[in-house]
Amino acid sequence: MQLQVMNSPFTEKQAELLNRVLPSLSESQQLWLSGYLSGYHNRASVSATGLQNPSATALQKSGTVQATKELTILFGSQTGNSQGLAEEISEKLKNMEYQVTLTPMNEFKVKDLKKLTLLLIIVSTHGEGDPPDTALPFYEFLQSHRAPKLNDLHFSVLALGDSSYEFFCQTGKQLDERLEELGAKRLSPRVDCDLDYDEPAAQWFEDVAQSLKKLVEAASGESAGEGAFVSAVPSSTPEQLKYSRTNPFRAEILENINLNGRGSNKETRHLELSLEGSNFQFEPGDSIGIYPENDEELVHLIIKELQLDPNESVPINNQGEVRSLLEALKNHYEITVLSKPLLEKASKFNEKLQAFIESEEDVRDYLKGRDLLDLARDFSSWNISAVELVGILRKMPARLYSIASSYQSNPDEVHLTIGTVRYEANGRKRNGVCSVHCAEKGKHGEFLSIYVQKNPNFRLPSDPDTPIIMIGPGTGVAPFRSFLEEREEIEAKGKSWLFFGDQHFVTDFLYQVEWQRWLKNGVLTNMDVAFSRDTEKKVYVQHRMLEKSREIYNWLEEGAHVYVCGDEKNMAKDVNSTLLEILEKEGGMSSEAASAYLADMQQEKRYQRDVY
């Protein structure tokens, strides 16, 4: 059939072209062309009338969000908590049909920040108010004068921290304030989470999801209906019912050995736990979280001091579960650490405490080395009930310990290295709640409540031929035992070098026989030790590093990965300074060039730290 010009809207030339093409098309080609023209017409109509595509991803100049469902989540994590939350939230948002980009802060290209329209930040605070290592590049860029104006950005921050530290959630607070200074608008207010972060994090996500839903609806001019949000968030699945931080596994204790010799000032426990039936898997660098029990004698003294009934029922969660006050304080609430937020809450029930907390300096000094019994005794005349008492306490947080064994080598067990903490402060003997619980009650046939804490920021190189340098004094050596077990199991060919230190060679050389065996069979290439109390002048691991500075530099130039585990306040800082000194001395670098070298190593995941 020929197209006639007089019966069509086409010109004579257009009709001639169509008459030449159409007869040559197959039936399927004609159908495809028909659909294409229909779609082309619809797009043109939308453009001509000024309607916005519901999947548009830009922001209007006015700052009103279009119906974008593209969203970025940035996380900064030291021990893995922030990353775990970020991954969970990412999956939930994907189920709600958002296009989610999930990125660790150190891998995010800061030049792309001004291109974002929706941003969620999940970040922990490390040490005394410091950003995690993985958050540092993004944090420093955002605080610098190079940070762009972000008037078109909508964001929200979830901050993780520990309220027993003075600068609680400091990194999250600073990022939240800085984004506002740069013109960004909050999707929902920042939430600061303590160690027990599940419930506040869940509430933060719900608030964020509702805000996102409203923005998308407002921009598209449509309403998704009340059921859309509810159905988009998955209910409990079999995955969530597995053993986890919120559903710990009861692990049987197989071995509990004191690694220190007679006469040592220390007590370091080697624990071996059964994982049979847990379905846990882990990698070298991961940790085990242990939920301890508070000392029952301490619990009785607190209850007696506050003149409460140990058998009175009190809540232990928001799901309506109750226990006796005695059991709640023993198993569910933190009573051995004081914090400023706790004192502020407690002051509502004690006039003397109300006056005391007005002095920041007095509060700061008072918190050091004191517990709930001190507080109960030092400020008499309490007017507080059992329910009110547990209402001001935070939930019992788990204690994390680096795994000291390889899953490949021991799939049904996990080994831990735990330094027992005992000391005297303010006229009373004190115990580390978890370490002493493990030391005194952790006998064969007893159980501990545990879960696996992933730490993707402390990993062996993917290439087993890569050389590694491990620096771990005291119990900081634990993950390196797992590293070498793993390297032995997979028959890794890469060189390995361990720096270990403690007080005395005779009594404190942890795992000495194992290091010697690995040195003999070549799994461990080099080992340097420093026993600080065996010489007139104290010698630490950083001193041994300086003695081998040329060889260390050569290893770094060969691509070696460096791992540091242990005390953050002193050891980790000293080791970092020593590495800089080695780079300046052996590499002929300026201090700025040496710092840039280490920063590049961190960016490349060649310099990793698990410090506390």
Side-chain angles (χ1 to χ4, degrees), residues 323-390:
R323 298 288 189 275
S324 70
L325 177 61
L326 176 64
E327 184 181 345
L329 293 184
K330 181 180 177 183
N331 295 306
H332 299 281
Y333 289 98
E334 174 79 86
I335 63 173
T336 59
V337 177
L338 297 182
S339 65
K340 184 180 177 182
L342 172 60
L343 263 60
E344 290 171 344
K345 293 175 185 176
S347 68
K348 298 176 183 177
F349 307 97
N350 190 297
E351 291 183 4
K352 186 179 176 183
L353 183 57
Q354 285 178 11
F356 177 77
I357 64 172
E358 291 179 6
S359 169
E360 289 276 348
E361 187 175 347
D362 288 346
V363 169
R364 192 180 302 113
D365 291 340
Y366 183 78
L367 295 177
K368 297 174 183 176
R370 287 186 170 86
D371 59 20
L372 190 60
L373 179 58
D374 293 308
L375 185 66
R377 287 176 171 174
D378 293 342
F379 297 90
S380 54
S381 303
W382 287 93
N383 183 23
I384 190 170
S385 68
V387 173
E388 289 168 336
L389 174 63
V390 299

Side-chain angles (χ1 to χ4, degrees), residues 568-587:
E568 181 195 26
K569 290 183 179 178
N570 298 306
M571 183 277 297
K573 290 182 179 179
D574 290 339
V575 166
N576 191 78
S577 297
T578 301
L579 287 170
L580 291 171
E581 187 176 345
I582 290 171
L583 291 170
E584 291 176 29
K585 175 186 174 184
E586 305 296 348

Side-chain angles (χ1 to χ4, degrees), residues 472-492:
T475 56
V477 82
F480 305 135
R481 183 176 183 266
S482 75
F483 278 24
L484 293 180
E485 271 196 1
E486 180 87 358
R487 302 261 284 195
E488 181 178 39
E489 191 70 22
I490 65 175
E491 299 181 354

Side-chain angles (χ1 to χ4, degrees), residues 74-86 104-106 122-137 139 158-162 165 171 195 197 284-287 400-402 453-459 479 562-569 571-573 576 602 605 607-612:
L74 297 180
F75 62 87
S77 187
Q78 193 74 30
T79 62
N81 287 335
S82 294
Q83 179 166 350
L85 277 173
M105 288 182 176
N106 61 327
I122 303 174
V123 65
S124 62
T125 293
H126 191 54
E128 299 296 334
D130 300 321
D133 289 347
T134 57
L136 200 55
Y139 173 88
L158 180 67
L160 273 61
D162 181 344
Y165 285 87
T171 302
L195 297 178
Y197 55 75
D286 289 340
S287 299
L400 294 177
Y401 296 98
S402 298
Q453 175 71 51
K454 298 289 185 180
N455 187 0
N457 301 312
F458 203 71
R459 286 283 184 262
V562 177
Y563 300 89
V564 181
C565 183
D567 167 55
E568 181 195 26
K569 290 183 179 178
M571 183 277 297
K573 290 182 179 179
N576 191 78
Q602 283 187 309
K605 298 186 176 179
Y607 179 29
Q608 299 182 34
R609 308 191 312 161
D610 181 10
V611 294
Y612 38 85

Side-chain angles (χ1 to χ4, degrees), residues 53-70:
N53 185 342
S55 62
T57 59
L59 291 179
Q60 293 177 333
K61 290 182 179 179
S62 64
T64 303
V65 177
Q66 291 185 0
T68 178
K69 301 206 84 173
E70 289 186 4

Side-chain angles (χ1 to χ4, degrees), residues 551-563:
E551 194 173 352
I552 288 176
Y553 179 74
N554 290 339
W555 279 48
L556 296 181
E557 286 293 278
E558 292 171 14
H561 287 219
V562 177
Y563 300 89

Side-chain angles (χ1 to χ4, degrees), residues 159-433:
L160 273 61
D162 181 344
S163 62
S164 64
Y165 285 87
E166 181 178 358
F167 299 103
F168 174 57
C169 288
Q170 184 78 357
T171 302
K173 292 174 181 177
Q174 290 175 330
L175 291 179
D176 180 66
E177 292 169 2
R178 181 58 172 158
L179 287 170
E180 183 182 40
E181 288 175 4
L182 294 171
K185 303 167 187 64
R186 289 185 184 86
L187 283 164
S188 62
R190 184 192 74 248
V191 169
D192 298 334
C193 299
D194 207 340
L195 297 178
D196 181 39
Y197 55 75
D198 296 278
E199 291 178 5
Q203 184 60 55
W204 174 80
F205 172 73
E206 185 176 332
D207 293 343
V208 165
Q210 292 286 6
S211 296
L212 288 170
K213 176 171 173 277
K214 290 175 183 176
L215 279 174
V216 172
E217 287 178 357
S220 63
E222 299 176 358
S223 175
E226 288 302 314
F229 171 69
V230 176
S231 63
V233 180
S235 58
S236 294
T237 66
E239 291 294 319
Q240 293 170 307
L241 298 177
K242 289 182 178 180
Y243 293 112
S244 64
R245 196 174 69 85
T246 54
N247 183 33
F249 173 71
R250 295 281 288 170
E252 182 179 3
I253 297 170
L254 303 175
E255 290 284 353
N256 186 349
I257 303 167
N258 184 3
L259 295 175
N260 297 99
R262 186 178 300 173
S264 174
N265 296 322
K266 296 186 173 186
E267 180 184 352
T268 308
R269 290 282 167 174
H270 172 80
L271 265 67
E272 298 183 4
L273 308 178
S274 171
L275 295 182
E276 188 174 355
S278 68
N279 292 318
F280 282 153
Q281 293 186 6
F282 55 85
E283 297 179 57
D286 289 340
S287 299
I288 289 291
I290 300 178
Y291 285 103
E293 294 178 5
N294 285 311
D295 180 68
E296 191 165 332
E297 181 182 355
L298 177 62
V299 172
H300 278 295
L301 288 171
I302 292 170
I303 292 173
K304 180 180 178 181
E305 195 67 37
L306 294 174
Q307 299 180 2
L308 299 173
D309 180 0
N311 298 313
E312 183 176 346
S313 294
V314 295
I316 60 168
N317 55 35
N318 291 337
Q319 284 72 53
E321 289 186 72
V322 297
R323 298 288 189 275
S324 70
L325 177 61
L326 176 64
E327 184 181 345
L329 293 184
K330 181 180 177 183
N331 295 306
H332 299 281
Y333 289 98
E334 174 79 86
I335 63 173
T336 59
V337 177
L338 297 182
S339 65
K340 184 180 177 182
L342 172 60
L343 263 60
E344 290 171 344
K345 293 175 185 176
S347 68
K348 298 176 183 177
F349 307 97
N350 190 297
E351 291 183 4
K352 186 179 176 183
L353 183 57
Q354 285 178 11
F356 177 77
I357 64 172
E358 291 179 6
S359 169
E360 289 276 348
E361 187 175 347
D362 288 346
V363 169
R364 192 180 302 113
D365 291 340
Y366 183 78
L367 295 177
K368 297 174 183 176
R370 287 186 170 86
D371 59 20
L372 190 60
L373 179 58
D374 293 308
L375 185 66
R377 287 176 171 174
D378 293 342
F379 297 90
S380 54
S381 303
W382 287 93
N383 183 23
I384 190 170
S385 68
V387 173
E388 289 168 336
L389 174 63
V390 299
I392 67 173
L393 300 177
R394 69 177 181 180
K395 299 291 179 58
M396 172 77 82
R399 271 60 172 180
L400 294 177
Y401 296 98
S402 298
I403 292 174
S405 59
S406 161
Y407 179 84
Q408 299 291 336
S409 180
N410 304 283
D412 294 323
E413 299 178 10
V414 66
H415 302 172
L416 304 173
T417 311
I418 301 176
T420 306
V421 178
R422 292 187 174 91
Y423 61 101
E424 188 168 321
N426 304 303
R428 280 178 46 218
K429 291 183 178 180
R430 317 280 170 150
N431 293 330
V433 62

